[in-house]
Amino acid sequence: MRIAVTGATGQLGGHIIDSLLKRGIPAADIVAIVRNEAKAAGLAARGVTVAVAPYEDAEALQQALTGVDRLVLVSGSEVGKRLAQHTNVINAARAAEVGFVAYTSLLNAPTSKLSLAPEHVATERLLAESGIDHTVLRNGWYWENYASALEPAKATGKMFGAAGDARVAAAARADYAEAAAVVVTGDGHVGMVYELGGTPALTYPEIAEAVGEAIGAEVDYVNESVAEYRAGLEGAGLPADLAGMIAEWDAAIADGALYSESTDLQDLIGRPATSATAALSA
Ligand SMILES: NC(=O)c1ccc[n+]([C@@H]2O[C@H](COP(=O)([O-])OP(=O)(O)OC[C@H]3O[C@@H](n4cnc5c(N)ncnc54)[C@H](OP(=O)(O)O)[C@@H]3O)[C@@H](O)[C@H]2O)c1
C-alpha cells in the first residue's frame, strides 16, 4: 500500500510520516509531497519517497499521486488560497485514481465561526462531490498554539486572550497525526467524519495554569475585549491584519468553536490525548 502525505515538510505532516513509519509502513511506500525539495532532505535520508508538487501545480500533483493508493491531504497553510489548492489536490487524486483520501479539516467546521472554517467546509464538500472514498478529520486546536504565550508569561506572569469562559478541547499535533495514520492505514473509516479534540477541555484560566507549569511559574489569565487583545498583539509587534485575525478567533472560541465532547480522538489512537502541560513543556 502506497500512502502519500501532503504538507510533509510541515509540523503535522512530519508527525504523520513518523506515525506511518511506527505503524510499519515501509519508508519507500510513503510518498512525501512537498514544495521545497531541500527541506525534505531528512525525509529522503530516511528512505521516504519525496515528490515535489506545490499545491498550485496540477500536473506535478497528478504525477506525484500516480500509483498512490491512499492520501492524507493536510490542509494548506495559506489562508484564502486553500480552496483552490485543495481543489488541485483532489482533482489530481481523482485523475490518478487514488483510492482513499483523509482530509485534515477543522473541529465543528460547519457551525464554526472561526474565519478558517469556510475553506474547510468547502473542501469537505469538494471531497464529497469527488466520488473518492474519504474520511474527514476535523482537527481541533493544537496545544502547541499556546506556546506563543510562554515568553510573554515569563516576562509578565500573565496570559492574555479574549475567549471569556470558553473551553477548548485541544491536543498535541502528534495526537492528530497518529489519528491520521490510524485512519489512512486502517479500514472502516470511509465516509466517517471525526471530531478530534482532547478531553478534558480546558478553560483559558486552566490553559494559563498549563503555561505556568511549563515555565515553572504562576501565570494568570487576563481576559480582554477583542479590541484590547488585538491592540496588545499589535503592541507586541504582530502585523495589524494578523493581530486582528487572531483576536477575532478568540471571539469565535468564546462562542464554543473549539469545544467538543467527542471522544473520537482517543478512540482512534487508543489512549488519552497529550495534556496541555505536556505539550507546552515539550
Ligand atoms: N489545528 C490547529 O491548531 C492548526 C494550527 C495551524 C494550522 N493548522 C492547519 O493544519 C495544517 C498543518 O499544520 P502544521 O502545523 O503542520 O502547519 P505547517 O507546519 O505550517 O505546515 C504546512 C505545510 O504546508 C505546506 N504548504 C504550504 N503551502 C503550500 C503550497 N502552496 N504547496 C505545497 N505545500 C504547501 C508547507 O510547506 P513548506 O514546508 O515548504 O512551508 C508545510 O509543509 C496547516 O497547514 C493548517 O491548515 C491547524
Side-chain angles (χ1 to χ4, degrees):
M1 181 164 56
R2 212 166 159 82
I3 298 176
V5 180
T6 70
T9 47
Q11 300 166 89
L12 182 69
H15 283 296
I16 294 172
I17 289 176
D18 288 345
S19 293
L20 290 172
L21 290 168
K22 269 192 211 137
R23 299 184 76 76
I25 304 296
D29 291 342
I30 300 172
V31 181
I33 299 185
V34 307
R35 63 174 164 181
N36 178 342
E37 193 168 15
K39 228 177 147 180
L43 291 171
R46 292 158 77 193
V48 171
T49 303
V50 172
V52 179
Y55 289 140
E56 293 74 17
D57 190 338
E59 209 172 299
L61 285 166
Q62 190 179 329
Q63 216 171 329
L65 289 169
T66 298
V68 165
D69 302 294
R70 299 182 179 193
L71 165 69
V72 183
L73 169 51
V74 172
S75 51
S77 52
E78 298 170 307
V79 176
K81 295 185 181 168
R82 298 186 294 177
L83 183 55
Q85 296 176 337
H86 298 166
T87 303
N88 285 344
V89 178
I90 292 166
N91 286 342
R94 192 173 39 202
E97 297 180 7
V98 171
F100 173 80
V101 176
Y103 170 65
T104 64
S105 181
L106 174 69
L107 188 69
N108 303 320
T111 55
S112 178
K113 291 186 181 160
L114 283 169
S115 58
L116 302 164
E119 287 180 305
H120 288 295
V121 172
T123 303
E124 288 188 15
R125 195 176 308 125
L126 267 182
L127 262 178
E129 291 167 359
S130 73
I132 305 173
D133 282 350
H134 64 278
T135 298
V136 176
L137 304 166
R138 288 191 184 146
N139 288 351
W141 237 218
Y142 308 144
W143 284 134
E144 290 92 333
N145 295 348
Y146 296 98
S148 60
L150 293 172
E151 286 307 317
K154 276 184 203 165
T156 65
K158 294 182 170 59
M159 180 181 112
F160 299 90
D165 54 10
R167 289 205 289 158
V168 176
R173 275 191 187 87
D175 300 324
Y176 297 113
E178 201 173 322
V182 166
V183 164
V184 78
T185 56
D187 294 315
H189 303 292
V190 172
M192 302 299 287
V193 176
Y194 293 118
E195 299 285 355
L196 302 176
T199 50
L202 299 187
T203 62
Y204 268 60
E206 289 168 337
I207 296 170
E209 231 176 273
V211 168
E213 280 162 19
I215 63 171
E218 195 173 314
V219 176
D220 293 318
Y221 175 59
V222 179
N223 195 56
E224 302 180 305
S225 69
V226 170
E228 286 166 341
Y229 183 40
R230 176 191 181 139
L233 291 171
E234 275 192 64
L238 259 65
D241 51 349
L242 182 60
M245 186 167 71
I246 292 174
E248 285 300 335
W249 287 347
D250 267 21
I253 294 168
D255 189 58
L258 295 178
Y259 179 68
S260 172
E261 289 179 1
S262 166
T263 60
D264 287 348
L265 180 57
Q266 67 182 51
D267 294 347
L268 284 171
I269 65 181
R271 59 169 175 82
T274 308
S275 69
T277 302
L280 289 167
S281 301

